[in-house]
Amino acid sequence: RRYVAGGQCKSTAKLEGKVVIITGANTGIGKETARDLARRGKVVVACRDVAKAEAAASEIRTETGNQQVVVKKLDLADTKSIREFAEKFLAEEKELHILINNAGVMLCPYSKTADGFEMHLGVNHLGHFLLTFLLLERLKQCAPARIVNVSSLAHHGGRIRFHDLHGEKSYNRGLAYCHSKLANVLFTRELARRLQGKSQRRAGFSAWLLSTMDEEITANALHPGSVHSELVRHSYLMTLLWKIFSFFLKTPCEGAQTSIYCAVAEELDSVTGQYFSDCQPAYVSPRGRDDETAKKLWSVSCDLLGIQWD
């Protein structure tokens, strides 16, 4: 059981006066991440289902004694909602120090977002790409700041199929999830490179980029582990297997540890562009280390979203 639980974040860092946004924090590892960080500072719970988010936030407020757990509506499957969220947040909150892009969908039957993007790509990658773009200036103003992208070991099975990004020619729900998780890793890599500028230096396969940041904003990705959560709800088979083998899966609290680690660990103050698992650097697939694909994905993402992000 201890082996399955994996690494644990041991940092006791406080976040007094700091603000954290966590997407999809009404359930699973997002909720457990919010529960932990609410013991340290102010947390904004950004979710599509406001009623569930309010219930989760109320529970966290009662348990932690922190009344600064705020719910704001965010539907990552709709760029209009993302823009409205960012506009309201920026108008109401003057601080932002940590952005945790946690929300995600998995194994969805073929469907598209409000903007016509394949659902996995649209929610898991493009939605968070746009959200990060809209909030980046506030993060810069409040630096040092951190961006944490929840990816997955599944990125090893992914490819960026530029000829069929939205799965209109062929679609497999499992592979679609893998593709989107690879996009998370590549986005993190390219974002770190752009934030870091010319001070970039390589540090081997287990640590892509390690330096003192010019902008003092770090961006890291992570694999939370195989977690017993609602993420597999779109697959009856996976739901059944998750119940049968639940003893061999992490609890949401255990699955949240690497997200928390990337958000608060003091030793990561100047670490960027890395991919973590069990609170330590982990191996990234060759496709996840392809700079040309990362740059092209960045450009294509900007075109799809109608933004200029130089």
Side-chain angles (χ1 to χ4, degrees), residues 229-262:
S229 71
E230 296 179 9
L231 192 60
V232 297
R233 63 186 178 275
H234 293 291
S235 170
Y236 174 78
L237 177 60
M238 289 295 290
T239 301
L240 180 61
L241 290 173
W242 249 226
K243 287 181 180 179
I244 294 172
F245 296 105
S246 60
F247 183 80
F248 299 100
L249 300 173
K250 290 184 178 182
T251 65
C253 181
E254 291 163 351
Q257 293 304 304
T258 307
S259 294
I260 298 164
Y261 175 75
C262 289

Side-chain angles (χ1 to χ4, degrees), residues 12-83:
T12 58
K14 297 297 183 181
L15 300 174
E16 288 105 340
K18 295 188 176 182
V19 178
V20 182
I21 290 177
I22 309 173
T23 67
N26 64 309
T27 187
I29 67 171
K31 181 179 177 181
E32 295 306 320
T33 303
R35 192 191 308 275
D36 180 281
L37 297 186
R39 295 188 176 97
R40 306 170 190 255
K42 182 171 183 176
V43 175
V44 176
V45 175
C47 299
R48 177 176 56 86
D49 191 323
V50 173
K52 286 186 177 180
E54 286 288 2
S58 177
E59 177 188 321
I60 293 170
R61 290 186 206 110
T62 300
E63 182 178 324
T64 64
N66 182 3
Q67 297 306 304
Q68 290 191 307
V69 181
V70 181
V71 172
K72 294 185 185 293
K73 182 176 177 59
L74 170 65
D75 184 354
L76 288 161
D78 186 346
T79 58
K80 181 180 178 183
S81 174
I82 298 169
R83 291 181 180 279

Side-chain angles (χ1 to χ4, degrees), residues 31-214:
K31 181 179 177 181
E32 295 306 320
T33 303
R35 192 191 308 275
D36 180 281
L37 297 186
R39 295 188 176 97
R40 306 170 190 255
K42 182 171 183 176
V43 175
V44 176
V45 175
C47 299
R48 177 176 56 86
D49 191 323
V50 173
K52 286 186 177 180
E54 286 288 2
S58 177
E59 177 188 321
I60 293 170
R61 290 186 206 110
T62 300
E63 182 178 324
T64 64
N66 182 3
Q67 297 306 304
Q68 290 191 307
V69 181
V70 181
V71 172
K72 294 185 185 293
K73 182 176 177 59
L74 170 65
D75 184 354
L76 288 161
D78 186 346
T79 58
K80 181 180 178 183
S81 174
I82 298 169
R83 291 181 180 279
E84 287 176 350
F85 168 86
E87 183 179 349
K88 289 180 181 178
F89 175 86
L90 293 172
E92 296 170 3
E93 303 283 349
K94 302 307 177 186
E95 304 285 327
L96 178 59
H97 303 86
I98 302 170
L99 171 60
I100 303 180
N101 292 319
N102 164 83
V105 295
M106 180 180 181
L107 303 175
C108 297
Y110 188 77
S111 57
K112 289 187 175 181
T113 68
D115 302 273
F117 308 139
E118 186 277 314
M119 189 62 69
H120 292 89
L121 182 78
V123 171
N124 297 352
H125 169 60
L126 291 171
H128 284 128
F129 187 97
L130 178 60
L131 180 65
T132 305
F133 167 75
L134 295 171
L135 298 176
L136 188 62
E137 286 305 313
R138 182 57 49 85
L139 286 163
K140 287 181 179 180
Q141 292 165 10
C142 300
R146 300 187 186 190
I147 299 167
V148 179
N149 295 324
V150 179
S151 181
S152 170
L153 183 69
H155 86 271
H156 285 268
R159 294 181 62 190
I160 305 301
R161 303 169 69 247
F162 290 109
H163 66 287
D164 189 25
L165 274 178
H166 304 295
E168 293 169 330
K169 296 178 181 178
S170 65
Y171 180 76
N172 176 287
R173 64 173 75 182
L175 289 177
Y177 177 72
C178 294
H179 301 334
S180 71
K181 294 291 102 178
L182 175 59
N184 292 155
V185 172
L186 291 170
F187 168 44
T188 303
R189 183 178 182 86
E190 181 63 9
L191 177 60
R193 186 189 70 82
R194 286 168 176 262
L195 288 173
Q196 191 176 344
K198 294 182 179 179
S199 61
Q200 169 179 319
R201 70 181 174 87
R202 301 286 172 176
F205 76 84
S206 65
W208 301 350
L209 306 169
L210 179 59
S211 74
T212 301
M213 299 291 291
D214 292 336

